[in-house]
Amino acid sequence: MASSTPGLFQIMKEDLEVVVARDPSMRNRREALLHAALPALWAHRIAHRLHQRGHRMTARIIAWHARRSTSVEIHPGAVLGRRVFIDHGAAVVIGETAVVGDDVTIYHQVTLGAVGWWSDNNRPEGDRRHPVVGAHVVLGTNATVLGPVTIGSHAVIGAQALVNKDVPAGARVLAATAVIKTVGRRPEPMEDLYAMTASAGSW
């Protein structure tokens, strides 16, 4: 029986389609081909397969060139699901043992990183050092997720949020927004409420 697993070109075609679907500034596939982060994602699709087959140096060279041209750093060992959308791309970092599920949206300056060498060097060989991100998760601008934590499906990690613990499915992890203080008048009750409400992302 034929395998139902899609091939590389089918997955890359989905990557292109999702840019058109999720980026309102892209009117068609031709424009989407010039999306800033798409080359980094496609380079990773190729580098990851080479990495899996033991061609580590070739995979690292591809990742290095992708980083230089797009400012997106994805380790070839990282596992990215289908229809992952990296918007803008600038300064996104995804570590070696990270796993990103299907239909995840990642905004710029997101880090899926490790805690640090002082901790990771003491982990047993083969232990995970980076996050697992479930399907349909949104990672807002400058969100930082560190260590072998798990982000449940359909969760939203808001802009500026720092996460170092597991997040259940469907949860919202939101950083505090800036508090606007005015001189000479008392804020209205709704203004107080707004000041305590955190952004859900960068959009």
Side-chain angles (χ1 to χ4, degrees), residues 6 10 25 37 39 57 63 72 74 82-83 85 89 98 126 133 140 150 152 165 194-195 198 203:
Q10 175 61 33
S25 71
M57 284 302 297
V72 176
I74 310 175
R82 296 168 63 180
R83 299 174 300 277
F85 177 52
V133 178
T150 299
K165 297 178 179 62
Y194 181 76
W203 56 97

Side-chain angles (χ1 to χ4, degrees), residues 98-138:
V99 178
V100 178
D102 296 341
D103 301 293
V104 168
T105 298
I106 301 174
Y107 284 89
H108 49 292
Q109 297 179 316
V110 165
T111 298
L112 301 178
V115 175
W117 61 264
W118 51 88
S119 173
D120 294 329
N121 284 354
N122 295 324
R123 296 186 192 277
E125 182 71 25
D127 267 21
R128 185 163 57 86
R129 308 188 310 280
H130 301 91
V132 168
V133 178
H136 301 278
V137 168
V138 175

Side-chain angles (χ1 to χ4, degrees), residues 15-16 19-20 23 25-40 42 69-70 85-89:
D15 293 334
L16 180 63
V19 170
V20 178
D23 189 337
S25 71
M26 298 292 169
R27 301 292 190 268
N28 51 53
R29 293 179 186 174
R30 190 183 310 176
E31 282 190 37
L33 286 169
L34 298 176
H35 189 274
L38 189 61
W42 280 352
S69 60
T70 67
F85 177 52
I86 302 176
D87 200 6
H88 306 298

Side-chain angles (χ1 to χ4, degrees), residues 30-193:
R30 190 183 310 176
E31 282 190 37
L33 286 169
L34 298 176
H35 189 274
L38 189 61
L41 188 56
W42 280 352
H44 174 74
R45 300 294 191 196
I46 297 167
H48 180 67
R49 281 161 174 74
L50 291 169
H51 185 272
Q52 286 183 310
R53 295 169 186 169
H55 305 294
R56 291 176 57 92
M57 284 302 297
T58 304
R60 292 299 291 265
I61 290 168
I62 292 171
W64 182 80
H65 280 289
R67 182 182 185 276
R68 278 179 58 91
S69 60
T70 67
S71 298
V72 176
E73 182 174 341
I74 310 175
H75 192 285
V79 177
L80 269 60
R82 296 168 63 180
R83 299 174 300 277
V84 171
F85 177 52
I86 302 176
D87 200 6
H88 306 298
V92 167
V93 176
I94 302 176
E96 178 184 16
T97 62
V99 178
V100 178
D102 296 341
D103 301 293
V104 168
T105 298
I106 301 174
Y107 284 89
H108 49 292
Q109 297 179 316
V110 165
T111 298
L112 301 178
V115 175
W117 61 264
W118 51 88
S119 173
D120 294 329
N121 284 354
N122 295 324
R123 296 186 192 277
E125 182 71 25
D127 267 21
R128 185 163 57 86
R129 308 188 310 280
H130 301 91
V132 168
V133 178
H136 301 278
V137 168
V138 175
L139 298 161
T141 300
N142 205 30
T144 302
V145 186
L146 301 179
V149 300
T150 299
I151 308 299
S153 297
H154 297 277
V156 173
I157 310 300
Q160 307 285 343
L162 171 62
V163 177
N164 60 6
K165 297 178 179 62
D166 290 348
V167 175
R172 301 293 185 264
V173 180
L174 307 174
T177 57
V179 176
I180 301 172
K181 294 188 177 181
T182 57
V183 178
R185 72 179 183 90
R186 180 182 177 82
E188 296 295 325
M190 284 304 294
E191 290 177 329
D192 288 335
L193 178 63

